[in-house]
Amino acid sequence: MRTMLAILTAAVIGLGAYSIHLHGEKASLQRTVLAQYTDKLTDASEKLSHLQRAVSQSLLFQNDQAIHNELDSVWRLSSDVRSSISNIPIGHELSNQWLSYLGRLGDEAKKTAKTGDYQAWREKMPQISTNLQSLSDEWSAATVDFYKNNGKMDVWLRQVDQKNPNTTFDNVQKTLKDYSEKDFPLTLSESDWQKKIELKALQDSVITEKEALEKVKNMFPIIKDATFTVTRSSDTAPYPFYHIQFHQGIRLGYVDLTEKGGHLLSYLVERPVDEARLSQEEIMNKAEEHLKRLGINDVAFVESRENHQAWHVTFARVHPGDKAIIYADGIQLKLAKDTGELLGANAMEYIQEETIKQQTAKPIDWKTFFDKDVKVEEVKNIYTDNGQFEQRLCYEVIAVRDGQSPETFRIVIDAENHNVLKVEYLT
């Protein structure tokens, strides 16, 4: 009896010591993370202040070179602030608004430096400088909430993660939204792009949770007998969707479907993967079978790559008029190397479906377009973004430049006006 009591006592002491050790490790980790976030908050506050000062200083000069130097500072600092803010847990929506506002400010500075339209900058920036000062002041006030928690990182995370956060960052978010709409109103192309992102074009009827589950079972029969949990997206989501988690034996994962029409957004499953047993050709055949079951039959193969467990295969929609590949309408599949089972799918870009305007491809004489030592290996018709939210019909050219060490390039050329949109060094 005494021996048993001694063993139990030792076990309790051991468990207590282990618990204290774990608690100490957790507290130490939280202190480390807290210190990192504190540094990022301080860094963001300082750089935001410097950014406002750079915008203000750019309004001092008539001299083009002096303005140009300040424009470079605005572009660099806006990027620095974006980097700092992206690493702070301040809530998804606020973070996205900050990144968008700062990105547009940086792009404006870069465009002005390139075009030399300094007068337009002088007309627009006085109000933005004032707004940045206001945002900087509110941001500084908001950081007080972070320091009030006395190192209790979990308390602060709960505040910013809940649906109705109670922090002074809310004031920053409201002010930022107002300034974004006034300082950088969307162009027509940007407005169309935003509507696409928010799936405004979907005209399907809303489906119920039960109907969403039936769709999942039909698309992925391998998990039809799984245990499911269905939740609806939050009110702040850009569009309503169902998030369906499942568990079946060794499989654990989720499926996201749009509420309108039940279109697949994403699918992910985790399970152990054995050694590879299928060839690349067999994997491609499996990928096409999965697409067929998902009801996707208007795409073409783009590329594939592999790691030690899976193949990642990308397809993109083929334009019905000219058979050109629309890279922006892509769908990515992840297939297990052992059986070819679908482990993941990302169809977000596919269901957003780009609006393609009528364009005419004008032929190019490659012998006069390229230098004499350049050989065209392949030409493909594609649609790609021109940097202004417009999908342009282009020639995608794989060309080799001869020399002591031959070099291979991928060149994207607008098929209508023959502007070179992109040059990429391959090998």
Side-chain angles (χ1 to χ4, degrees):
M1 185 67 181
R2 289 181 179 177
T3 302
M4 182 62 69
L5 183 61
I7 293 173
L8 288 173
T9 301
V12 169
I13 293 173
L15 285 172
Y18 180 66
S19 176
I20 292 170
H21 174 70
L22 285 180
H23 180 75
E25 284 191 342
K26 180 182 178 182
S28 177
L29 178 61
Q30 284 198 354
R31 283 194 297 271
T32 301
V33 173
L34 185 71
Q36 292 175 352
Y37 287 150
T38 301
D39 289 343
K40 290 293 183 182
L41 275 168
T42 304
D43 190 51
S45 297
E46 291 178 355
K47 288 177 178 176
L48 187 57
S49 179
H50 292 324
L51 175 61
Q52 187 278 328
R53 197 175 307 150
V55 172
S56 182
Q57 288 173 187
S58 71
L59 301 172
L60 292 173
F61 308 102
Q62 287 288 341
N63 180 272
D64 289 353
Q65 184 57 48
I67 297 175
H68 193 89
N69 291 338
E70 295 303 329
L71 290 174
D72 183 66
S73 294
V74 171
W75 178 80
R76 175 177 49 78
L77 285 166
S78 65
S79 179
D80 288 347
V81 180
R82 278 168 57 94
S83 178
S84 294
I85 288 178
S86 65
N87 290 301
I88 306 171
I90 54 176
H92 181 69
E93 187 172 347
L94 174 57
S95 180
N96 283 346
Q97 288 181 357
W98 256 129
L99 297 183
S100 174
Y101 187 88
L102 294 166
R104 291 168 73 83
L105 176 58
D107 289 343
E108 190 85 13
K110 191 174 183 179
K111 182 181 73 174
T112 301
K114 184 177 181 180
T115 62
D117 189 2
Y118 302 121
Q119 185 56 37
W121 176 269
R122 294 188 188 99
E123 291 173 358
K124 190 172 186 177
M125 286 302 129
Q127 187 59 54
I128 291 180
S129 177
T130 301
N131 292 346
L132 269 175
Q133 183 61 61
S134 175
L135 283 167
S136 180
D137 292 343
E138 288 196 12
W139 177 265
S140 296
T143 57
V144 174
D145 267 7
F146 184 86
Y147 299 117
K148 280 181 179 178
N149 293 307
N150 297 321
K152 296 179 180 178
M153 188 67 197
D154 52 343
V155 175
W156 192 74
L157 285 175
R158 285 199 301 271
Q159 286 181 343
V160 297
D161 284 344
Q162 62 183 342
K163 288 187 176 180
N164 297 304
N166 182 26
T167 76
T168 50
F169 280 108
D170 287 0
N171 296 329
V172 178
Q173 183 169 325
K174 292 172 186 175
T175 305
L176 186 58
K177 185 176 186 298
D178 184 49
Y179 288 165
S180 294
E181 294 170 354
K182 293 178 180 177
D183 293 347
F184 301 105
L186 296 178
T187 65
L188 184 59
S189 295
E190 289 170 328
S191 179
D192 290 342
W193 177 78
Q194 187 62 42
K195 290 177 182 177
K196 177 178 73 71
I197 294 296
E198 295 176 355
L199 301 179
K200 298 288 188 183
L202 288 184
Q203 301 299 318
D204 307 86
S205 300
V206 172
I207 65 172
T208 64
E209 288 188 9
K210 184 178 179 181
E211 289 171 327
L213 270 177
E214 288 303 312
K215 276 185 169 287
V216 167
K217 292 176 181 179
N218 288 332
M219 287 190 288
F220 310 106
I222 199 168
I223 60 167
K224 65 180 181 180
D225 297 323
T227 301
F228 295 97
T229 302
V230 184
T231 56
R232 193 178 180 277
S233 58
S234 67
D235 294 337
T236 59
Y239 48 81
F241 65 92
Y242 291 114
H243 181 67
I244 303 170
Q245 295 174 293
F246 63 84
H247 178 216
Q248 182 185 42
I250 60 172
R251 293 177 179 83
L252 182 68
Y254 72 87
V255 189
D256 287 343
L257 299 179
T258 61
E259 193 178 76
K260 286 185 176 181
H263 298 281
L264 176 67
L265 293 168
S266 57
Y267 170 75
L268 184 67
V269 59
E270 294 290 341
R271 72 153 173 85
V273 177
D274 295 329
E275 292 184 6
R277 296 199 296 268
L278 301 183
S279 66
Q280 184 175 1
E281 182 180 357
E282 290 172 318
I283 286 290
M284 290 303 303
N285 290 336
K286 288 283 187 180
E288 291 175 0
E289 290 175 11
H290 292 310
L291 287 174
K292 186 176 180 180
R293 194 177 62 253
L294 293 174
I296 298 173
N297 52 22
D298 59 348
V299 297
F301 170 76
V302 174
E303 65 175 358
S304 64
R305 53 189 175 82
E306 63 175 320
N307 57 31
H308 66 290
Q309 286 190 326
W311 278 94
H312 297 263
V313 188
T314 300
F315 296 84
R317 181 179 276 109
V318 176
H319 189 263
D322 52 25
K323 305 304 179 184
I325 294 177
I326 309 170
Y327 279 153
D329 290 350
I331 177 169
Q332 298 83 37
L333 305 182
K334 177 183 177 182
L335 286 78
K337 275 189 165 183
D338 53 4
T339 64
E341 177 185 342
L342 186 63
L343 298 180
N346 180 3
M348 167 60 79
E349 295 173 342
Y350 177 80
I351 66 172
Q352 287 174 349
E353 193 167 358
E354 295 287 345
T355 300
I356 304 296
K357 296 179 180 179
Q358 181 65 39
Q359 298 166 61
T360 303
K362 297 178 181 178
I364 296 178
D365 183 353
W366 301 119
K367 291 183 180 179
T368 58
F369 190 87
F370 292 115
D371 198 33
K372 61 180 182 298
D373 62 349
V374 176
K375 180 182 179 182
V376 173
E377 296 283 347
E378 180 185 353
V379 179
K380 187 188 303 181
N381 285 8
I382 66 167
Y383 283 95
T384 191
D385 192 294
N386 64 353
Q388 299 175 354
F389 304 103
E390 295 177 350
Q391 292 296 317
R392 296 294 299 172
L393 176 61
C394 296
Y395 297 117
E396 183 183 59
V397 181
I398 303 299
V400 177
R401 179 180 173 275
D402 289 331
Q404 290 184 347
S405 298
E407 298 173 303
T408 304
F409 299 86
R410 172 179 172 266
I411 307 106
V412 177
I413 305 161
D414 191 300
E416 199 166 42
N417 57 37
H418 297 174
N419 290 336
V420 176
L421 300 183
K422 184 176 183 179
V423 179
E424 180 183 357
Y425 180 81
L426 298 180
T427 57

